[in-house]
Amino acid sequence: MAKWLKWTINIVILSALIAACGVIYKQSATSRTMMLSCSSELFDRHSSANPSISASSDNKFYLLVDVLIAADKAQINYRYFNFDGTSAGHISMRGKVDSIEANSMTYKVAVETKTESEMEKQKNWPEHMKYLSNISSLPFRDSGVNNFSIEVLDMDDTKDYAVVLFQPSNTICGCRIVNSRI
């Protein structure tokens, strides 16, 4: 084989490898990914204000919220637990990211699908879960989607934490930043 043909083939292969590395780098550098693991302690303020209802652990719950935002897709999982660690229910939502307001670190999410715990257990759900279930069942206008927002109130990447406000569930959680490339 001629020497010039070998060099031409080598240059073509090297160019293809460099182009592939550039595409992979561009995809990984520009992909918007955020993964948060959030928690909050819930209590029923109405029952604690009512002296006829005891302030036992029956009206106290833990809330864990997992948030995954990848490119224009979003998934939010609300998991509720009793004080003894048993599951009190869950609500999972999927949708797309409509917009990101960089100056306020707010992510607008259009929720398109929702799944939740069995309906027969709804009377034992935490009040927050009942509220979230009701508010997330209302379609936003006539479009069939619900608009939610996730606002990062405070964040420290070096310590892997964030304080996040979830709307319309009116929940502020402390979060561990699992992954953030936004």
Side-chain angles (χ1 to χ4, degrees):
M1 205 189 277
K3 196 174 196 179
W4 65 269
L5 184 59
K6 286 181 183 178
W7 278 102
T8 305
I9 292 172
N10 286 337
I11 289 175
V12 169
I13 291 173
L14 182 61
S15 298
L17 286 173
I18 291 172
C21 288
V23 168
I24 291 170
Y25 175 76
K26 185 178 178 185
Q27 289 291 331
S28 65
T30 60
S31 69
R32 295 180 178 175
T33 303
M34 180 173 68
M35 189 181 306
L36 301 174
S37 179
C38 307
S39 62
S40 183
E41 187 174 322
L42 303 173
F43 71 98
D44 186 356
R45 66 184 172 97
H46 298 294
S47 65
S48 62
N50 187 348
S52 64
I53 300 174
S54 68
S56 70
S57 63
D58 291 343
N59 54 12
K60 295 181 183 176
F61 300 93
Y62 285 112
L63 169 63
L64 299 179
V65 182
D66 300 315
V67 177
L68 173 61
I69 295 175
D72 65 339
K73 305 267 187 245
Q75 181 174 339
I76 307 166
N77 297 316
Y78 290 85
R79 297 178 292 145
Y80 296 86
F81 294 92
N82 297 305
F83 256 40
D84 64 2
T86 59
S87 177
H90 70 274
I91 297 176
S92 298
M93 296 180 233
R94 292 178 187 250
K96 64 179 184 173
V97 178
D98 277 345
S99 65
I100 300 173
E101 296 174 11
N103 59 343
S104 64
M105 296 273 301
T106 302
Y107 303 86
K108 303 286 184 177
V109 177
V111 175
E112 298 166 340
T113 62
K114 177 183 81 159
T115 59
E116 54 191 38
S117 297
E118 301 83 34
M119 295 305 283
E120 61 268 4
K121 293 184 179 180
Q122 188 169 6
K123 64 181 178 183
N124 296 327
W125 283 358
E127 289 299 317
H128 183 271
M129 186 174 174
K130 291 177 187 176
Y131 172 76
L132 181 60
S133 176
N134 289 334
I135 199 76
S136 63
S137 295
L138 302 173
F140 181 73
R141 297 191 184 160
D142 295 326
S143 64
V145 297
N146 293 312
N147 286 341
F148 280 71
S149 69
I150 302 168
E151 181 179 354
V152 179
L153 301 175
D154 188 23
M155 183 164 100
D156 188 344
D157 282 330
T158 61
K159 296 181 182 175
D160 292 332
Y161 86 88
V163 178
V164 178
L165 170 63
F166 296 91
Q167 289 290 3
S169 67
N170 301 320
T171 307
I172 295 178
C173 292
C175 302
R176 186 173 71 84
I177 302 171
V178 179
N179 183 12
S180 179
R181 277 196 261 163
I182 302 231

Coordinates of all heavy atoms in Angstrom, one line a residue, residues 83-130:
F83 N -43.2 8.3 62.0 CA -42.0 8.5 62.9 C -41.3 7.1 63.1 O -40.1 7.1 63.4 CB -42.4 9.1 64.2 CG -42.0 10.6 64.3 CD1 -42.1 11.4 63.2 CD2 -41.5 11.1 65.5 CE1 -41.7 12.7 63.3 CE2 -41.1 12.4 65.5 CZ -41.2 13.2 64.4
D84 N -42.1 6.0 63.0 CA -41.4 4.7 63.3 C -40.7 4.2 62.0 O -40.2 3.1 62.0 CB -42.5 3.7 63.8 CG -43.6 3.4 62.8 OD1 -43.5 4.0 61.7 OD2 -44.5 2.6 63.1
G85 N -40.7 4.9 60.9 CA -40.1 4.5 59.7 C -40.9 3.8 58.7 O -40.4 3.6 57.6
T86 N -42.1 3.5 59.0 CA -43.0 2.8 58.1 C -43.5 3.9 57.0 O -43.7 5.0 57.3 CB -44.2 2.2 58.8 OG1 -44.9 3.2 59.5 CG2 -43.7 1.1 59.7
S87 N -43.8 3.4 55.8 CA -44.3 4.2 54.8 C -45.7 4.7 55.0 O -46.5 4.0 55.4 CB -44.2 3.5 53.4 OG -44.7 4.3 52.4
A88 N -45.9 6.0 54.8 CA -47.2 6.6 54.9 C -47.8 7.0 53.6 O -48.9 7.4 53.5 CB -47.1 7.9 55.8
G89 N -47.0 6.7 52.5 CA -47.5 7.0 51.2 C -46.5 7.7 50.3 O -45.4 8.1 50.7
H90 N -46.8 7.8 49.0 CA -45.9 8.5 48.1 C -46.7 9.1 46.9 O -47.8 8.6 46.6 CB -44.9 7.5 47.5 CG -45.5 6.5 46.6 ND1 -46.0 5.3 47.0 CD2 -45.6 6.5 45.2 CE1 -46.5 4.6 46.0 NE2 -46.2 5.3 44.9
I91 N -46.1 10.1 46.3 CA -46.6 10.7 45.1 C -45.4 11.0 44.2 O -44.5 11.6 44.6 CB -47.3 12.1 45.4 CG1 -48.6 11.9 46.3 CG2 -47.7 12.8 44.1 CD1 -49.3 13.1 46.7
S92 N -45.6 10.4 43.0 CA -44.5 10.6 42.0 C -45.0 11.4 40.8 O -46.1 11.1 40.3 CB -44.0 9.3 41.5 OG -43.4 8.5 42.6
M93 N -44.3 12.4 40.4 CA -44.7 13.2 39.3 C -43.6 13.3 38.2 O -42.4 13.3 38.6 CB -45.0 14.6 39.7 CG -46.2 14.7 40.7 SD -46.5 16.4 41.2 CE -46.5 16.1 43.0
R94 N -44.0 13.3 37.0 CA -43.1 13.4 35.8 C -43.6 14.5 34.9 O -44.8 14.7 34.8 CB -42.9 12.1 35.1 CG -42.3 11.0 35.8 CD -42.3 9.8 34.9 NE -41.8 8.7 35.7 CZ -40.6 8.1 35.5 NH1 -39.8 8.5 34.6 NH2 -40.3 7.1 36.2
G95 N -42.6 15.2 34.3 CA -43.0 16.3 33.4 C -41.8 16.8 32.7 O -40.8 16.2 32.6
K96 N -41.9 18.0 32.2 CA -40.8 18.7 31.5 C -40.6 20.0 32.1 O -41.4 20.7 32.7 CB -41.1 18.8 30.0 CG -42.3 19.7 29.7 CD -42.5 19.8 28.2 CE -43.6 20.8 27.9 NZ -43.7 21.0 26.4
V97 N -39.3 20.4 32.0 CA -38.9 21.7 32.5 C -39.3 22.8 31.4 O -38.8 22.8 30.3 CB -37.4 21.8 32.7 CG1 -37.0 23.2 33.2 CG2 -37.0 20.7 33.7
D98 N -40.2 23.7 31.8 CA -40.6 24.7 30.9 C -39.6 25.8 30.8 O -39.3 26.4 29.7 CB -42.0 25.3 31.3 CG -43.2 24.5 30.9 OD1 -43.0 23.6 30.0 OD2 -44.3 24.7 31.4
S99 N -39.1 26.2 32.0 CA -38.1 27.3 32.0 C -37.3 27.3 33.2 O -37.6 26.6 34.2 CB -38.8 28.7 31.9 OG -39.6 28.9 33.1
I100 N -36.1 27.9 33.1 CA -35.2 28.0 34.3 C -34.9 29.5 34.4 O -34.4 30.1 33.5 CB -33.9 27.2 34.1 CG1 -34.2 25.8 33.9 CG2 -32.9 27.5 35.2 CD1 -33.0 24.9 33.5
E101 N -35.2 30.1 35.5 CA -34.9 31.5 35.8 C -33.6 31.5 36.6 O -33.6 31.2 37.8 CB -36.0 32.1 36.6 CG -37.3 32.2 35.9 CD -38.5 32.7 36.7 OE1 -38.2 33.2 37.8 OE2 -39.6 32.6 36.3
A102 N -32.5 31.8 35.9 CA -31.2 31.7 36.5 C -31.0 32.7 37.6 O -30.3 32.3 38.6 CB -30.1 31.9 35.4
N103 N -31.5 33.9 37.5 CA -31.3 34.9 38.6 C -31.9 34.5 39.9 O -31.4 34.8 41.0 CB -31.7 36.3 38.1 CG -33.2 36.3 37.8 OD1 -33.8 35.3 37.6 ND2 -33.7 37.5 37.7
S104 N -33.1 33.8 39.9 CA -33.7 33.4 41.1 C -33.6 31.9 41.4 O -34.1 31.3 42.3 CB -35.2 33.7 41.1 OG -35.9 33.0 40.1
M105 N -32.8 31.2 40.5 CA -32.6 29.7 40.6 C -34.0 29.0 40.7 O -34.2 28.2 41.6 CB -31.7 29.4 41.8 CG -30.3 29.9 41.7 SD -29.2 28.8 40.8 CE -29.3 27.3 41.7
T106 N -34.9 29.3 39.9 CA -36.3 28.7 39.9 C -36.5 27.9 38.6 O -36.2 28.4 37.5 CB -37.3 29.8 40.0 OG1 -37.1 30.6 41.2 CG2 -38.7 29.2 40.0
Y107 N -36.9 26.7 38.8 CA -37.2 25.8 37.8 C -38.7 25.6 37.7 O -39.4 25.2 38.6 CB -36.6 24.4 38.0 CG -35.1 24.5 38.2 CD1 -34.6 24.8 39.5 CD2 -34.2 24.3 37.2 CE1 -33.2 24.9 39.7 CE2 -32.9 24.4 37.4 CZ -32.4 24.7 38.6 OH -31.0 24.8 38.8
K108 N -39.3 26.0 36.5 CA -40.7 25.8 36.3 C -40.9 24.5 35.6 O -40.4 24.2 34.5 CB -41.3 26.9 35.4 CG -41.0 28.3 35.9 CD -41.9 28.7 37.0 CE -41.7 30.1 37.4 NZ -42.6 30.5 38.5
V109 N -41.8 23.6 36.2 CA -42.0 22.3 35.7 C -43.4 22.1 35.4 O -44.3 22.4 36.2 CB -41.5 21.2 36.8 CG1 -41.8 19.8 36.3 CG2 -40.1 21.4 37.2
A110 N -43.7 21.6 34.2 CA -45.0 21.2 33.8 C -45.2 19.7 34.0 O -44.7 18.9 33.3 CB -45.3 21.6 32.3
V111 N -46.0 19.4 35.1 CA -46.2 18.0 35.4 C -47.2 17.4 34.5 O -48.3 17.9 34.4 CB -46.6 17.9 36.9 CG1 -46.9 16.5 37.2 CG2 -45.5 18.4 37.8
E112 N -46.9 16.3 33.8 CA -47.8 15.7 32.9 C -48.4 14.4 33.4 O -49.5 14.0 33.0 CB -47.0 15.4 31.6 CG -46.5 16.7 30.9 CD -45.4 16.4 29.9 OE1 -44.8 15.4 29.9 OE2 -45.3 17.3 29.0
T113 N -47.6 13.7 34.3 CA -48.2 12.4 34.8 C -47.9 12.4 36.3 O -46.9 12.9 36.8 CB -47.5 11.2 34.2 OG1 -46.1 11.2 34.5 CG2 -47.8 11.1 32.7
K114 N -48.8 11.7 37.0 CA -48.7 11.6 38.5 C -49.2 10.2 38.9 O -50.2 9.7 38.4 CB -49.6 12.7 39.2 CG -49.6 12.6 40.7 CD -50.5 13.6 41.3 CE -51.9 13.1 41.2 NZ -52.8 13.7 42.2
T115 N -48.5 9.6 39.8 CA -48.9 8.3 40.4 C -48.8 8.5 41.9 O -47.9 9.3 42.4 CB -48.0 7.1 40.0 OG1 -46.7 7.4 40.4 CG2 -48.1 6.8 38.5
E116 N -49.7 7.9 42.6 CA -49.7 8.0 44.1 C -50.1 6.7 44.8 O -50.6 5.8 44.1 CB -50.6 9.2 44.5 CG -52.0 9.1 44.0 CD -52.8 10.4 44.3 OE1 -52.2 11.5 44.2 OE2 -53.9 10.3 44.6
S117 N -50.0 6.7 46.1 CA -50.3 5.5 46.9 C -51.8 5.1 46.7 O -52.6 5.8 46.2 CB -50.1 5.8 48.4 OG -48.8 6.0 48.6
E118 N -52.1 3.9 47.1 CA -53.4 3.3 46.9 C -54.5 4.3 47.5 O -54.3 4.9 48.6 CB -53.6 2.0 47.6 CG -52.6 0.9 47.1 CD -51.2 1.0 47.7 OE1 -51.1 1.4 48.9 OE2 -50.3 0.7 47.0
M119 N -55.6 4.5 46.8 CA -56.6 5.4 47.2 C -57.3 5.0 48.5 O -57.8 5.8 49.3 CB -57.6 5.6 46.1 CG -57.0 6.3 44.9 SD -56.2 7.8 45.2 CE -57.6 8.9 45.4
E120 N -57.4 3.7 48.8 CA -58.1 3.3 50.0 C -57.4 3.7 51.3 O -58.0 3.8 52.4 CB -58.4 1.8 50.0 CG -57.2 0.9 50.0 CD -56.8 0.5 48.6 OE1 -57.4 1.0 47.6 OE2 -55.8 -0.2 48.5
K121 N -56.2 4.0 51.2 CA -55.4 4.4 52.4 C -55.4 5.9 52.6 O -54.8 6.5 53.4 CB -54.0 3.9 52.3 CG -53.8 2.4 52.4 CD -52.4 2.0 52.4 CE -52.2 0.6 52.6 NZ -50.8 0.2 52.6
Q122 N -56.1 6.7 51.7 CA -56.1 8.1 51.7 C -56.5 8.7 53.0 O -55.9 9.8 53.4 CB -56.9 8.7 50.6 CG -56.7 10.2 50.4 CD -57.4 10.7 49.1 OE1 -58.0 10.0 48.4 NE2 -57.1 11.9 48.8
K123 N -57.4 8.1 53.8 CA -57.8 8.7 55.0 C -56.6 8.7 56.1 O -56.6 9.5 57.0 CB -59.0 8.0 55.6 CG -58.7 6.5 55.9 CD -59.9 5.8 56.5 CE -59.6 4.4 56.8 NZ -60.7 3.6 57.2
N124 N -55.6 7.9 55.9 CA -54.5 7.8 56.8 C -53.3 8.6 56.3 O -52.3 8.6 56.9 CB -54.1 6.4 57.1 CG -55.2 5.6 57.8 OD1 -55.9 6.1 58.6 ND2 -55.3 4.3 57.5
W125 N -53.4 9.2 55.1 CA -52.3 10.0 54.6 C -52.1 11.2 55.5 O -53.0 11.8 56.1 CB -52.7 10.5 53.2 CG -52.6 9.5 52.1 CD1 -52.2 8.2 52.2 CD2 -52.9 9.7 50.7 NE1 -52.2 7.5 51.0 CE2 -52.7 8.4 50.1 CE3 -53.3 10.7 50.0 CZ2 -52.8 8.3 48.7 CZ3 -53.5 10.6 48.7 CH2 -53.3 9.4 48.0
P126 N -50.8 11.7 55.5 CA -50.5 13.0 56.1 C -51.3 14.1 55.4 O -51.6 14.0 54.3 CB -49.0 13.1 55.9 CG -48.5 11.7 55.6 CD -49.6 11.0 55.0
E127 N -51.6 15.1 56.2 CA -52.4 16.2 55.7 C -51.7 16.9 54.5 O -52.3 17.3 53.5 CB -52.6 17.3 56.7 CG -53.7 16.8 57.8 CD -55.0 16.5 57.2 OE1 -55.5 17.3 56.3 OE2 -55.6 15.5 57.6
H128 N -50.4 17.0 54.5 CA -49.6 17.5 53.4 C -49.7 16.7 52.2 O -49.9 17.2 51.1 CB -48.1 17.6 53.8 CG -47.3 18.3 52.8 ND1 -46.7 17.6 51.8 CD2 -46.9 19.6 52.6 CE1 -46.0 18.4 51.0 NE2 -46.2 19.6 51.5
M129 N -49.8 15.4 52.3 CA -49.9 14.5 51.2 C -51.3 14.7 50.6 O -51.5 14.7 49.3 CB -49.7 13.1 51.6 CG -49.7 12.1 50.4 SD -49.2 10.5 50.9 CE -49.4 9.6 49.5
K130 N -52.3 14.8 51.4 CA -53.7 15.0 50.9 C -53.8 16.3 50.1 O -54.4 16.4 49.1 CB -54.7 15.0 52.1 CG -54.9 13.7 52.8 CD -55.9 13.9 53.9 CE -56.0 12.6 54.8 NZ -56.8 12.8 55.9

